[in-house]
Amino acid sequence: MKYYSTRNRNLAVSLKDAAVMGLAPDGGLFMPESIPSVDLDKALSFSTFPEMSAYLASLFFSEFSYEELLEMTSAAFPFEIPLKRVGPGLDTLELFHGPTFAFKDVGAGFMGQMMGRLSDSGRNINVIVATSGDTGSAVANGFYNVKGVNVTILYPKGKVSPFQESQMTTLGGNIHAVAVDGCFDDCQAIVKTLLADKEFHDTYRLTSANSINILRWIPQCFYYFWAYRQWLRACSEAGVVASEEGSAASDKGFVAVVPSGNIGNLAAGVLAWKMGLPIASFVAANNSNDTFSRYLRTGEYSPEATIPTIANAMDVSAPSNFERIMDFFAGDWAAVSSHIRGYSYDDESIRAAIRELRDRYGYLSCPHSATGYLATKETAGNAIWLSTAHYAKFIDVVSEAVGEDLPLVEPFAQIASRKGYSCELPASASAVADFISRL
């Protein structure tokens, strides 16, 4: 499998080159040269998520055998991804049972395993990642002590939760945390600037672990298949509900409701659909940073200043993976908007949703996942929303929303109590470049 740029379909690079470059030389994002067709019966026959993931990975990464890929997925995914029934007609895929309690453990864990095998002995790879909260801790955990890899995490100073900051800053070793005096979009701009600097990139073997990297992004399609497998079983146990057309609901699939910031998770869902997974449609749930949902309504892509919200991991005004969505649909707004709907919610609405989930269903939700619940309520038919992080990562926000001081249970209390270290830098690519050069 070769990989091209969203800005140049004539480009064709190997997996290793795409992974190490992170961003294409022209600033575009890498895409697989062809989208493999999945044997759905075979995919659904696997009884564990690592086994299913190894099969799906083999469709993209022919450089490795199924057995090698299974070793990687087994190491990367030693946790459950359950489909949880919250209430009547309300199902959520809980993606927060990994080591850092967020959905990004899937992509980051797999990427860490792959990069360890792709790196050349004797020459380090420098991974740089921008985070609005959860990506940093997931990447830190996924790459911790991986030989031949140094990791620099850029996060907006004072704009992540104390728990998220503790997760990013307490590992040490090959993990280096940098608090940037700016917002997430500033951090992301620095990453793109340094990746586009050919001399710096080549000298320090720079790559990114954001969802712009093909190895972070592709694995996120795996859990859509796992969700479908569990959903089919739930339909069977309940006696499959018929759709309006009279056919089985499972024939058309479910509506995937995705809390969306940098929209890598959404783009991975579209990839799964393009591979042949029967997803009926998608819904993108934004917070007040509604660039993508506005695009879906109007056809105009117009990023504005980033707004700090209580769903801070989604505080993204210029989502990088917009380019992948455009590539999937050949830039056709009508096609995009016919398959994807979008909604946005302010902090007051998100707090109300957290409170409603607790009071009505006894379910505690993080603010990001709560946007998925809100969008699901606006969706007719069979829908599953993705719960992207454990509520305890945002204990102050959730406690305020429900009007009760919730206890910080273990292991969260222990993690939050750790004292970490980060370097504070201005929102400057040159300052970050100097930092990396001294590692």
Side-chain angles (χ1 to χ4, degrees):
M1 178 78 76
K2 297 291 186 181
Y3 298 87
Y4 66 86
S5 168
T6 50
R7 302 180 188 181
N8 179 9
R9 281 183 168 265
N10 293 321
L11 182 69
V13 303
S14 68
L15 169 64
K16 183 173 182 178
D17 286 343
V20 173
M21 282 192 278
L23 202 63
D26 57 8
L29 277 64
F30 284 113
M31 294 284 285
E33 63 180 353
S34 62
I35 298 176
S37 296
V38 71
D39 180 337
L40 194 57
D41 288 338
K42 182 174 182 178
L44 300 179
S45 71
F46 294 102
S47 60
T48 70
F49 181 60
E51 289 171 339
M52 176 188 280
S53 297
Y55 162 65
L56 296 170
S58 72
L59 303 180
F60 294 96
F61 310 125
S62 58
E63 295 85 351
F64 299 94
S65 68
Y66 173 81
E67 289 72 25
E68 290 173 315
L69 290 166
L70 182 58
E71 286 182 11
M72 297 184 221
T73 57
S74 297
F77 313 142
F79 50 87
E80 296 297 317
I81 302 180
L83 183 66
K84 177 78 175 279
R85 172 58 58 92
V86 174
L90 294 172
D91 296 312
T92 185
L93 186 70
E94 292 187 339
L95 292 165
F96 52 71
H97 294 279
T100 71
F101 315 102
F103 81 94
K104 295 175 182 180
D105 283 324
V106 174
F110 183 82
M111 183 181 178
Q113 291 293 317
M114 288 284 278
M115 289 298 284
R117 288 165 171 80
L118 291 173
S119 63
D120 295 328
S121 59
R123 191 179 178 205
N124 281 354
I125 292 174
N126 277 287
V127 173
I128 184 171
V129 61
T131 183
S132 53
D134 286 333
T135 296
S137 53
V139 169
N141 183 84
F143 282 84
Y144 182 55
N145 281 340
V146 172
K147 292 182 179 180
V149 180
N150 280 322
V151 179
T152 299
I153 301 170
L154 309 182
Y155 67 94
K157 179 183 175 182
K159 296 182 176 67
V160 301
S161 74
F163 183 84
Q164 289 172 319
E165 187 167 33
S166 180
Q167 284 186 304
M168 288 185 281
T169 62
T170 56
L171 288 175
N174 65 326
I175 308 299
H176 311 277
V178 176
V180 174
D181 189 11
C183 65
F184 169 78
D185 288 327
D186 295 321
C187 298
Q188 184 166 255
I190 292 171
V191 171
K192 289 185 174 181
T193 296
L194 293 182
L195 287 173
D197 184 332
K198 188 175 188 310
E199 181 179 356
F200 186 82
H201 172 278
D202 292 347
T203 300
Y204 294 99
R205 297 197 77 202
L206 195 67
T207 190
S208 174
N210 283 92
S211 56
I212 60 176
N213 193 298
I214 204 81
L215 289 183
R216 247 291 311 279
W217 174 60
I218 286 178
Q220 293 180 175
C221 82
F222 300 165
Y223 46 70
Y224 285 89
F225 287 90
W226 190 243
Y228 184 66
R229 183 182 186 276
Q230 295 180 80
W231 182 70
L232 283 180
R233 180 175 297 178
C235 286
S236 176
E237 292 173 352
V240 179
V241 179
S243 69
E244 292 180 2
E245 290 78 9
S247 60
S250 55
D251 292 342
K252 295 184 67 178
F254 56 82
V255 177
V257 181
V258 188
S260 299
N262 213 22
I263 63 175
N265 211 1
L266 177 65
V270 176
L271 175 62
W273 171 64
K274 290 280 189 178
M275 292 169 66
L277 184 65
I279 297 178
S281 63
F282 295 89
V283 176
N286 288 149
N287 59 19
S288 294
N289 297 282
D290 62 347
T291 300
F292 188 61
S293 55
R294 280 189 290 109
Y295 165 77
L296 293 171
R297 292 194 306 271
T298 68
E300 295 183 7
Y301 180 74
S302 54
E304 299 175 349
T306 304
I307 301 170
T309 76
I310 61 172
N312 68 318
M314 289 158 45
D315 289 352
V316 183
S317 180
S320 291
N321 285 283
F322 182 75
E323 290 198 31
R324 284 193 170 117
I325 297 292
M326 291 297 96
D327 190 84
F328 278 131
F329 293 97
D332 183 347
W333 170 77
V336 176
S337 59
S338 69
H339 287 87
I340 308 172
R341 284 170 290 155
Y343 302 97
S344 62
Y345 304 98
D346 60 18
D347 282 358
E348 182 179 353
S349 298
I350 295 171
R351 289 191 185 95
I354 294 171
R355 186 164 55 251
E356 182 176 303
L357 278 166
R358 201 286 297 266
D359 293 347
R360 183 173 296 181
Y361 304 109
Y363 189 79
L364 290 171
S365 170
C366 87
H368 314 82
S369 306
T371 67
Y373 165 69
L374 287 169
T376 298
K377 292 204 301 177
E378 301 191 57
T379 302
N382 298 281
I384 293 173
W385 83 88
L386 274 55
S387 281
T388 54
H390 195 287
Y391 80 88
K393 296 190 76 170
F394 307 90
I395 193 70
D396 293 340
V397 170
V398 177
S399 293
E400 179 188 10
V402 301
E404 177 185 342
D405 287 332
L406 298 172
L408 194 59
V409 297
E410 295 299 348
F412 297 93
Q414 181 183 12
I415 294 171
S417 67
R418 297 173 185 165
K419 299 297 182 183
Y421 172 78
S422 64
C423 175
E424 295 185 9
L425 292 176
S428 160
S430 61
V432 175
D434 181 63
F435 176 84
I436 293 173
S437 70
R438 290 184 280 108
L439 292 179

